[in-house]
Amino acid sequence: MNFQDIAILFFGLLTILSATFVTFSPKILYSAFSLLFTFFGVAALYLILSADFLAATQVIVYVGGILILIIFGVLLTARITNLEILEQTQQRFIALLPIGSIGLGLILLILFTNWPINLLPNEPTTATIGKKLILTYVIAFEASSVLLIAALIGAVRLGRERNDENVQ
Amino acid sequence: MAEMRTALGMPITHQTKTSKNPIIQWILDVWEGFYTVLVGMGVTWRHFFRKPFTVQYPHEKLNIPKQARQRVHVDIDLCGGCLQCDKICPAGIIKIVTAKPVAGEDLGVRPNGKRRALHIAEFTIDHSKCLYCGLCETVCNDDAIYMIPDFQYTTRSLEQLVVNYSRYSPEERDRVVAAAAAEKAAKQASKPAVPQTKVSDPQPNIPSPSVDSDVFNEKCPGPDGEFK
Amino acid sequence: MPLQEIEIPLGIRTPNTDGIVGEAMVLNMGPQHPSTHGVLRIELHTDGEVVFEAIPHLGYLHRCFEKICEGLPYNQIVPYTDRLDYLASMNMNLGYVLAVEKLMNIEVGERVQRLRVVMAELNRIASHLVALGTFGLDIGATTPFLYCFRDREKILDLFEKACGARLLYNYIWIGGLARDVDENWINECIEFLDYFEPKIKEYNDLLSFNKIFIERTANIGVLPPEVAIAYGCTGPTLRASGVKWDLRKDEPYSGYEKYDFNICVGEGEKGTIGDCWDRYWVRVLEMVESVKIVRQALDNIPQEDISAKIPKNFNKMPVGDVYFRTETPRGEIGFYIMSDGTKTPYRIKVRSPAFCNLSVLPVLARDQLIADLVAIVGSIDIVLGEVDR
Amino acid sequence: MSQFNPLEAFNLPIVYWQIIWAGIIVAFVTVFALFAVYLERKISAYAQDRMGPMETGGWQGWAQTIADALKLLLKEDIIPELADRRLFKLAPYIVFAGSLGVMAVIPFGVNLIGTDLNIGLYFILALSSTVVIGILMAGWASNNKWALYGAMRSAAQMVSYEIPIGLSLMLPVLLTGSLSMIDITNAQKSGILADGYFWNWYIFRVPPFTLIAFILYFWASLAETNRTPFDIPEAESELVSGYHTEYTGIRFAMFFLAEYANMFIVAAIASVVFLGGPLAPAPWLNWIPGPIWMLLKSLVLVFIQMWLRWTLPRVRVDQLMHICWKIFLPLALVNFIVIATLVVLWQK
């Protein structure tokens, strides 16, 4: 067992444990904050698998963007000063059906995929990713940017509309 | 107001340039923000090389004028016991107990040449309640109570700030007060009082002030001040 | 605008946006908070960062000034008036003393009058320096505060040389002054004025014309003149709204009619008339005017006995009542004294400027950000010793 | 120029070297924070005609911050009764770890670096965003309204200012063609005219644009580190002390340490990316080792940060956003587009 194996085990365990906590924690803010560790664990796993750009992107997008949005959402609810914001779990059995099928699918995928055993040497991936995005997958890349711009414009429109009403 | 401001070397009015074009206005705003920040930085930069205005307090002290009103001080030898300071004090912090000497008793002469007519049996000032208004100083006929520029008299408890300036110990005070009362009672009985034993001159055995305050036992600077 | 049209806040509003009645967050600003200038507590009802209701709660510094006065002879009240507005004690002394002199029909001499004006105006500069510095501190600039205090220190040194105290002077007495000043002091005073005038440019460079400062204060907390008058605002708070009202000019006392000075009013140079920047700027300009007055008052000051008119006792006071108002750095202070002929007043009522100016805070603070509320509280420049008395 | 390579010098496996470097960084950050606090107090004092600490330790009160740190260590660790204890305890560590992690990729010499990630700059941007989580955590767990306001402001501010920072830092990346901090440093050795002179640094490379990018980065980094004029998360006149209002003792010290470490980090990034990092300004100054140049440049920038703090008032929350979205962002975007076009033309 070398250093890499220990690291993979440690971060994998961290990811799984914190993800479990996200799911089962009664307090919604605890869930949100433990997502931080999940994201970090995943980022660390990417890093060990020599996908350093992906790891940093994971942190910058999920931690710097999405997680803050989630926490903001929780904090912006009416009772932010109340520390005991609890989460209720309802209709577990109905939820079990889709979640269980997805989980089963993922497990089958893991079992029947031919995973490469040897790790690739630590090579810079940034340039490759950039070239692939701008040459090979340019249509997908541009399409997603159009989507994002549409979302931005929509958000601005929604925000403006509410302001105009307030002025009247 | 414009002429006044030009006289002071200030800009007549700090009119910023404005423009109808929003883009030019934006550039002007950004430039003004940047420029005024630089002006402010220039002011603080010049101050980096200036001599500090403050002094390193316990090592060097600012010159306190000798008329500064920092603490009430009583020169008990001069006090004639007229109670003027007690009457004028707005906070009522001065407590004076006087007693008439019994017949035949001579209390001597005060340093200012006046005869000492009364025992100052007690002269207590509660410094913790003092207003530092200096009214007591202005009404005293004998310059016995005055303000001194001594501002360092921190104590560990409020009781230590209640200081008795009289030279009489509590027992002596009770004795002279009782004697005066006895003589008064005797006079009212229109009988010549029995001469009492002569009160010894208070000078030889000077009792220390009755309150153990290190600060107040120290020699206080006089009104002329030994302050730097 | 007629008075009825002015909206006076009644009750506590609740935030109402888009039909959703939000829950107000009640925030207690004070009594221990870095920017409430003393022990003032402001109850803030906020919706996010927006304050939609600010309710000042007073009384943390109440010392029963008016009741204490009923048990004291007239001359012993003077040290207590020091403690009203402890940043402008000379002006407080002057207001009370002039009221008693009006009651007793005392006319003081020229030198006493002039020295009183000198002291009051120097104290006005000192008080405005504190107002400027703490206002800068509220906006977040620490350095101007220290510069202001550095210059105020020099004024306090002058006061200490004149009367022995740095903050609570008990200098202006009924019928005279506590001590006379010598030629040396007058020279030092003029020296100070020469030193002080160029310093105003420093404050302006550092604070007044700084873009960030202007952005923070211009168009914030606009006090229209009608509202200011309706709420009884006085002093720089009123003048910044463009109302030319200064008792030193309009009801001259203590010889103010002899001096040549301007009443500084807000002109809305950076934003609207009556905004925080105007209130700040009026104070800066008033310091310049005060310097002018002090120079005129010290010019060829006559020699005379300053204690000639001081009454020996107050046993034979005229019966009746008297009201006298003077202009302090914060506005009009009015002393209403009822005398029943004894040596203690029957009743003293103080109309204090900071109290009246503070009453307009709920109007100004409506729908402002918390950061703006801090600027507004700083710009109306309250002293809690005088608000609570 | 220091060509000293610790890996070769001690012949250590890279893992050991990284652990040693981590220890060095922690020690350095602690010592630097103590020094920076002292510096801040002295600078504020001299800007305000005061003297600052003069007593502790003798000469100019040099030991004052050491004494203060000891005091903070010995103080009682108070956790408010109604606070969320677990998150309250965790928050300072996250903030501290976030800002400390960035130090791993900052080169102090050409070979003196924790790890030369080829995505160095990107890694810095990513890791600095975790600090926000810690601040939000602290603000919410304190169960104090002022702390909550501070946390919300801080989060909004830091998230917004990442964008102009990122866009400004992209300029040197475009010019270098690499995200690695070492590559960026080396690319500033040569360029126009003679090699090894200061005009090869990126700040002077494409005259107005890189200078504007540097100024934009510097100002935006003030917001990132919660310094005046953008210190609204801890604006003491409004929010008492912002997100760390309720913290005492060692936990408060960690926030404090993180703040001063952050100051150094943004200054260090600026000096590597725009000012040539460990490079000497002229070849005949090469005898002075690189780490000293690096420290010198960073300290000058830290000094300017402090100088600004003791000069300027504080902006308001909405003005902060206004400055970010309507001034910094357009300028940074224009800058970026111009440089990108120039680089493309150049390569053709």
Side-chain angles (χ1 to χ4, degrees):
Chain A
M1 206 181 213
N2 61 6
F3 183 76
Q4 230 152 15
D5 292 341
I6 299 170
I8 286 182
L9 270 181
F10 175 76
F11 285 112
L13 222 62
L14 178 79
T15 313
I16 292 169
L17 277 180
S18 56
T20 323
F21 198 75
V22 173
T23 322
F24 293 109
S25 165
K27 283 189 184 176
I28 197 161
L29 230 94
Y30 276 23
S31 307
F33 280 125
S34 53
L35 258 181
L36 174 70
F37 296 96
T38 317
F39 290 148
F40 258 113
V42 173
L45 287 178
Y46 282 143
L47 209 58
I48 293 161
L49 297 172
S50 351
D52 48 6
F53 188 80
L54 202 57
T57 312
Q58 161 86 10
V59 174
I60 209 167
V61 170
Y62 282 95
V63 177
I66 291 183
L67 183 55
I68 290 175
L69 265 182
I70 291 173
I71 296 171
F72 251 46
V74 178
L75 292 182
L76 285 175
T77 50
R79 286 172 292 129
I80 35 168
T81 47
N82 185 4
L83 283 181
E84 306 287 318
I85 301 175
L86 297 179
E87 175 187 28
Q88 284 140 14
T89 319
Q90 289 171 340
Q91 295 168 329
R92 292 168 193 228
F93 294 103
I94 298 173
L96 202 63
L97 199 71
I99 290 169
S101 50
I102 291 171
L104 200 71
L106 281 176
I107 289 167
L108 289 177
L109 204 67
I110 290 166
L111 289 179
F112 292 100
T113 309
N114 189 17
W115 297 101
I117 303 296
N118 292 328
L119 284 170
L120 296 167
N122 206 338
E123 273 180 4
T125 53
T126 323
T128 327
I129 290 173
K131 276 179 188 142
K132 289 242 160 147
L133 274 182
I134 216 78
L135 298 173
T136 320
Y137 304 107
V138 66
I139 294 174
F141 182 68
E142 288 302 320
S144 62
S145 67
V146 167
L147 186 75
L148 282 174
I149 283 183
L152 266 177
I153 293 170
V156 170
R157 169 92 184 97
L158 284 173
R160 279 303 280 248
E161 204 166 37
R162 196 176 152 217
N163 272 347
D164 292 345
E165 276 169 21
N166 279 2
V167 167
Q168 288 160 7
Chain B
M1 257 166 266
E3 72 286 354
M4 173 196 74
R5 285 188 225 167
T6 32
L8 281 175
M10 287 152 58
I12 293 169
T13 168
H14 188 79
Q15 207 61 60
T16 45
K17 288 191 190 109
T18 47
S19 169
K20 286 268 186 281
N21 190 330
I23 293 172
I24 295 175
Q25 179 64 44
W26 181 87
I27 293 169
L28 286 174
D29 278 351
V30 171
W31 173 248
E32 197 202 342
F34 192 70
Y35 176 73
T36 52
V37 165
L38 289 183
V39 168
M41 284 171 85
V43 172
T44 36
W45 178 257
R46 285 194 288 278
H47 277 269
F48 282 135
F49 307 104
R50 233 169 249 183
K51 198 176 158 286
F53 182 77
T54 52
V55 296
Q56 206 45 31
Y57 163 60
H59 308 305
E60 45 180 322
K61 286 171 181 161
L62 289 173
N63 195 15
I64 297 174
K66 65 177 193 287
Q67 66 266 37
R69 308 195 312 244
Q70 312 286 8
R71 176 154 83 81
V72 184
H73 183 68
V74 180
D75 196 343
I76 198 69
D77 289 339
L78 286 170
C79 179
C82 63
L83 305 185
Q84 284 296 322
C85 51
D86 189 6
K87 281 179 191 146
I88 198 83
C89 181
I93 61 165
I94 304 174
K95 184 189 172 196
I96 307 175
V97 176
T98 54
K100 274 190 180 167
V102 291
E105 185 186 18
D106 185 20
L107 294 176
V109 180
R110 286 181 275 162
N112 57 4
K114 295 184 190 168
R115 229 179 62 75
R116 197 187 302 275
L118 290 164
H119 291 287
I120 315 295
E122 190 187 338
F123 198 122
T124 312
I125 293 179
D126 185 352
H127 288 270
S128 62
K129 292 179 185 164
C130 184
L131 288 178
Y132 307 99
C133 60
L135 284 173
C136 48
E137 181 182 30
T138 59
V139 294
C140 187
N141 296 321
D142 305 314
D143 290 338
I145 186 164
Y146 46 84
M147 309 292 285
I148 54 171
D150 165 32
F151 55 94
Q152 293 169 300
Y153 51 102
T154 320
T155 57
R156 292 205 175 262
S157 70
L158 282 177
E159 290 84 50
Q160 282 175 304
L161 285 170
V162 184
V163 179
N164 188 357
Y165 285 90
S166 171
R167 296 196 187 279
Y168 290 70
S169 67
E171 299 80 44
E172 272 183 293
R173 181 196 69 179
D174 293 344
R175 190 169 54 77
V176 293
V177 170
E183 191 175 82
K184 200 178 173 189
K187 260 188 188 162
Q188 274 177 350
S190 69
K191 275 182 194 169
V194 183
Q196 298 233 336
T197 45
K198 195 174 177 182
V199 177
S200 60
D201 194 9
Q203 260 16 38
N205 53 335
I206 300 166
S208 59
S210 52
V211 180
D212 310 327
S213 163
D214 290 344
V215 183
F216 286 94
N217 288 341
E218 280 171 17
K219 195 169 180 291
C220 292
D224 296 332
E226 290 130 34
F227 269 78
K228 271 206 311 180
Chain C
M1 195 194 282
L3 272 184
Q4 293 90 319
E5 283 177 33
I6 296 162
E7 198 186 351
I8 309 263
L10 283 173
I12 295 162
R13 299 190 303 153
T14 46
N16 191 344
T17 41
D18 297 349
I20 309 157
V21 178
E23 198 179 338
M25 181 153 148
V26 181
L27 206 56
N28 273 311
M29 196 163 161
Q32 264 122 42
H33 186 277
S35 68
T36 49
H37 294 218
V39 278
L40 170 67
R41 177 182 148 218
I42 308 174
E43 188 185 329
L44 301 179
H45 294 250
T46 59
D47 178 16
E49 288 254 351
V50 181
V51 177
F52 55 89
E53 195 71 74
I55 305 156
H57 290 265
L58 317 172
Y60 289 92
L61 206 60
H62 185 61
R63 304 176 305 281
C64 300
F65 167 74
E66 291 167 5
K67 190 72 191 166
I68 287 173
C69 293
E70 290 171 21
L72 287 174
Y74 285 91
N75 57 345
Q76 295 184 21
I77 292 171
V78 179
Y80 281 94
T81 60
D82 282 338
R83 274 117 183 121
L84 284 179
D85 181 349
Y86 38 77
L87 294 178
S89 297
M90 290 286 186
N91 301 72
M92 295 290 130
N93 286 352
L94 185 62
Y96 169 74
V97 162
L98 287 173
V100 179
E101 281 173 5
K102 188 182 173 190
L103 180 72
M104 296 174 76
N105 255 330
I106 299 175
E107 278 287 325
V108 293
E110 173 77 10
R111 185 180 176 85
V112 174
Q113 276 198 351
R114 283 204 186 191
L115 277 179
R116 281 177 177 184
V117 168
V118 167
M119 294 301 173
E121 293 305 317
L122 280 179
N123 211 336
R124 188 184 308 275
I125 295 173
S127 170
H128 281 346
L129 280 174
V130 178
L132 254 61
T134 50
F135 188 46
L137 206 59
D138 287 342
I139 303 296
T142 331
T143 306
F145 175 72
L146 270 293
Y147 291 174
C148 287
F149 264 60
R150 174 198 65 196
D151 296 339
R152 176 173 176 262
E153 246 353 74
K154 291 196 181 283
I155 300 179
L156 298 191
D157 283 345
L158 283 174
F159 285 152
E160 194 179 27
K161 276 175 194 144
C163 72
R166 295 181 74 81
L167 196 65
L168 306 162
Y169 310 109
N170 184 23
Y171 181 69
I172 299 171
W173 282 1
I174 299 163
L177 297 169
R179 291 175 187 177
D180 201 355
V181 298
D182 52 9
E183 203 58 39
N184 203 7
W185 188 89
I186 290 169
N187 290 338
E188 274 176 44
C189 189
I190 289 168
E191 216 170 88
F192 163 75
L193 298 178
D194 294 340
Y195 157 87
F196 177 69
E197 269 176 340
K199 292 288 169 201
I200 294 174
K201 188 178 183 304
E202 196 173 66
Y203 307 142
N204 287 342
D205 280 348
L206 205 53
L207 203 60
S208 313
F209 298 140
N210 186 295
K211 180 81 174 162
I212 297 173
F213 181 76
I214 293 170
E215 288 289 321
R216 278 298 302 277
T217 51
N219 292 323
I220 300 298
V222 178
L223 179 62
E226 313 85 50
V227 179
I229 293 168
Y231 275 84
C233 295
T234 45
T237 312
L238 175 71
R239 288 195 283 276
S241 301
V243 183
K244 233 179 160 106
W245 176 254
D246 191 324
L247 288 178
R248 292 176 294 173
K249 270 263 195 276
D250 294 310
E251 288 178 14
Y253 55 90
S254 206
Y256 267 113
E257 66 277 1
K258 292 174 219 154
Y259 307 117
D260 167 40
F261 65 99
N262 300 316
I263 304 175
C264 313
V265 289
E267 287 161 346
E269 241 173 81
K270 297 290 168 204
T272 326
I273 291 184
D275 57 10
C276 288
W277 196 85
D278 269 357
R279 284 194 280 276
Y280 165 88
W281 186 237
V282 163
R283 292 197 176 93
V284 176
L285 295 180
E286 273 188 16
M287 294 201 300
V288 181
E289 297 297 322
S290 292
V291 170
K292 255 162 80 181
I293 298 174
V294 174
R295 279 193 198 285
Q296 292 172 46
L298 285 177
D299 189 36
N300 285 328
I301 186 162
Q303 286 291 340
E304 69 182 38
D305 181 13
I306 49 113
S307 56
K309 298 282 178 60
I310 296 177
K312 291 284 171 289
N313 57 55
F314 295 88
N315 293 333
K316 290 200 181 95
M317 290 296 288
V319 182
D321 56 351
V322 69
Y323 180 76
F324 199 85
R325 53 182 183 174
T326 54
E327 186 77 25
T328 74
R330 277 163 197 81
E332 287 177 29
I333 186 136
F335 281 92
Y336 175 72
I337 303 176
M338 266 176 99
S339 163
D340 56 357
T342 57
K343 66 179 177 182
T344 60
Y346 178 75
R347 172 91 169 89
I348 283 186
K349 168 82 183 84
V350 184
R351 181 257 185 235
S352 67
F355 177 78
C356 296
N357 290 350
L358 183 63
S359 69
V360 84
L361 179 69
V363 182
L364 289 184
R366 280 183 161 194
D367 299 327
Q368 303 280 353
L369 294 170
I370 293 180
D372 291 340
L373 178 87
V374 170
I376 292 166
V377 174
S379 74
I380 56 178
D381 185 27
I382 44 170
V383 165
L384 267 295
E386 186 200 286
V387 172
D388 290 343
R389 296 195 289 287
Chain D
M1 180 59 52
S2 161
Q3 293 300 342
F4 167 74
N5 191 338
L7 282 179
E8 286 163 12
F10 299 114
N11 200 13
L12 282 172
I14 192 153
V15 174
Y16 291 120
W17 161 243
Q18 279 166 352
I19 289 170
I20 291 168
W21 184 248
I24 293 173
I25 283 177
V26 171
F28 171 76
V29 164
T30 317
V31 172
F32 174 79
L34 290 178
F35 171 69
V37 174
Y38 175 75
L39 196 70
E40 172 117 62
R41 295 172 75 164
K42 276 293 180 190
I43 285 172
S44 74
Y46 282 115
Q48 297 170 349
D49 291 352
R50 297 184 287 121
M51 284 189 241
M54 289 292 278
E55 289 294 312
T56 321
W59 180 79
Q60 291 282 316
W62 62 272
Q64 183 62 51
T65 46
I66 299 169
D68 285 347
L70 283 177
K71 183 205 76 174
L72 280 176
L73 288 176
L74 295 173
K75 269 184 96 167
E76 187 190 354
D77 181 27
I78 300 167
I79 299 176
E81 197 183 341
L82 292 174
D84 191 313
R85 295 184 74 89
R86 269 182 271 183
L87 292 182
F88 189 84
K89 283 180 182 170
L90 186 63
Y93 299 107
I94 289 182
V95 171
F96 192 57
S99 50
L100 214 58
V102 176
M103 292 290 283
V105 294
I106 290 176
F108 281 83
V110 173
N111 292 314
L112 214 58
I113 185 169
T115 169
D116 179 24
L117 287 182
N118 58 56
I119 51 152
L121 214 50
Y122 196 54
F123 174 83
I124 290 170
L125 290 179
L127 215 58
S128 60
S129 65
T130 58
V131 175
V132 183
I133 305 285
I135 288 175
L136 271 173
M137 202 183 266
W140 187 79
S142 296
N143 197 13
N144 178 319
K145 288 165 186 169
W146 301 115
L148 190 67
Y149 271 129
M152 303 275 278
R153 284 178 173 196
S154 175
Q157 169 179 337
M158 288 168 106
V159 168
S160 309
Y161 273 85
E162 300 248 298
I163 297 163
I165 284 182
L167 280 175
S168 311
L169 288 182
M170 279 307 123
L171 258 65
V173 173
L174 277 176
L175 291 168
T176 316
S178 166
L179 284 161
S180 155
M181 298 294 267
I182 293 286
D183 288 352
I184 291 173
T185 311
N186 287 333
Q188 296 179 61
K189 271 183 191 162
S190 56
I192 27 177
L193 297 172
D195 287 359
Y197 280 100
F198 62 88
W199 53 71
N200 290 320
W201 297 350
Y202 277 142
I203 184 172
F204 303 118
R205 188 64 77 81
V206 190
F209 301 106
T210 39
L211 182 67
I212 292 173
F214 171 72
I215 294 170
L216 279 179
Y217 170 76
F218 188 77
W219 278 86
S221 71
L222 291 179
E224 188 81 358
T225 50
N226 300 337
R227 301 277 305 174
T228 314
F230 304 123
D231 65 336
I232 46 177
E234 46 200 271
E236 83 281 346
S237 63
E238 296 154 28
L239 299 185
V240 188
S241 204
Y243 57 89
H244 53 65
T245 306
E246 296 284 354
Y247 280 88
T248 51
I250 180 68
R251 285 176 217 286
F252 172 74
M254 293 192 82
F255 277 119
F256 213 62
L257 221 61
E259 195 180 319
Y260 280 89
N262 261 332
M263 276 171 66
F264 178 77
I265 286 161
V266 294
I269 293 169
S271 49
V272 169
V273 170
F274 290 103
L275 299 175
L279 301 180
W284 43 271
L285 283 169
N286 274 347
W287 55 274
I288 300 173
I292 291 181
W293 284 118
M294 174 73 193
L295 272 179
L296 204 68
K297 289 168 186 171
S298 310
L299 279 178
V300 167
L301 292 179
V302 167
F303 169 74
I304 296 174
Q305 286 178 352
M306 292 176 177
W307 181 12
L308 276 171
R309 170 166 179 188
W310 299 105
T311 303
L312 292 181
R314 181 187 305 122
V315 300
R316 217 194 310 140
V317 195
D318 57 327
Q319 286 164 356
L320 179 97
M321 291 296 162
H322 177 96
I323 290 171
C324 177
W325 294 107
K326 292 192 176 169
I327 294 174
F328 285 3
L329 190 60
L331 276 175
L333 260 177
V334 168
N335 238 343
F336 181 76
I337 291 167
V338 167
I339 291 290
T341 323
L342 280 179
V343 167
V344 169
L345 290 176
W346 214 318
Q347 282 173 349
K348 286 259 168 80

